[in-house]
Amino acid sequence: MNIKPLADRVVVKLVEAEEKTKTGIFLTASAQEKPQVAEVVAVGPGAYEDGKLIPMEVKIGDKVITGKYSGTEVKMDGTEYTIVKQSDILAIVE
């Protein structure tokens, strides 16, 4: 089953959180922060503003940073995704 986002929404898959710190200390699952870096897996067509289509700035395969508590989490075929509005994406990681 595929997810096709509408308007200016983007489907992202979160990148796994670090399991150990830079100093080598391993973190338990409860101590790890929710990751904010995600990979774009689907992009909507864009939103209409004043009758004009505003194109999307992100594309499939981009690594992005999302707001910490933004989006709606969904689980499909055993994989967890987050659906966010393009305005909830803070940056593209290059």
Side-chain angles (χ1 to χ4, degrees):
M1 187 180 308
N2 289 335
I3 301 173
K4 182 180 177 184
L6 302 175
D8 65 341
R9 288 178 177 77
V10 179
V11 179
V12 296
K13 181 178 176 184
L14 297 176
V15 175
E16 293 298 317
E18 290 288 327
E19 293 183 8
K20 68 177 185 176
T21 65
K22 291 180 183 178
T23 58
I25 299 171
F26 285 91
L27 300 172
T28 63
S30 62
Q32 295 175 9
E33 287 189 23
K34 178 181 172 186
Q36 290 177 266
V37 177
E39 181 178 352
V40 176
V41 295
V43 178
Y48 283 93
E49 189 174 300
D50 297 327
K52 292 184 180 181
L53 180 65
I54 307 299
M56 300 295 280
E57 294 183 39
V58 296
K59 61 186 181 308
I60 295 173
D62 282 350
K63 295 264 193 271
V64 296
I65 297 174
T66 61
K68 194 172 232 174
Y69 301 106
S70 61
T72 301
E73 296 177 359
V74 294
K75 189 172 189 176
M76 298 202 56
D77 299 330
T79 305
E80 291 185 18
Y81 299 99
T82 304
I83 301 173
V84 297
K85 292 189 88 166
Q86 181 171 247
S87 60
D88 292 334
I89 295 175
L90 306 174
I92 297 174
V93 179
E94 295 181 339

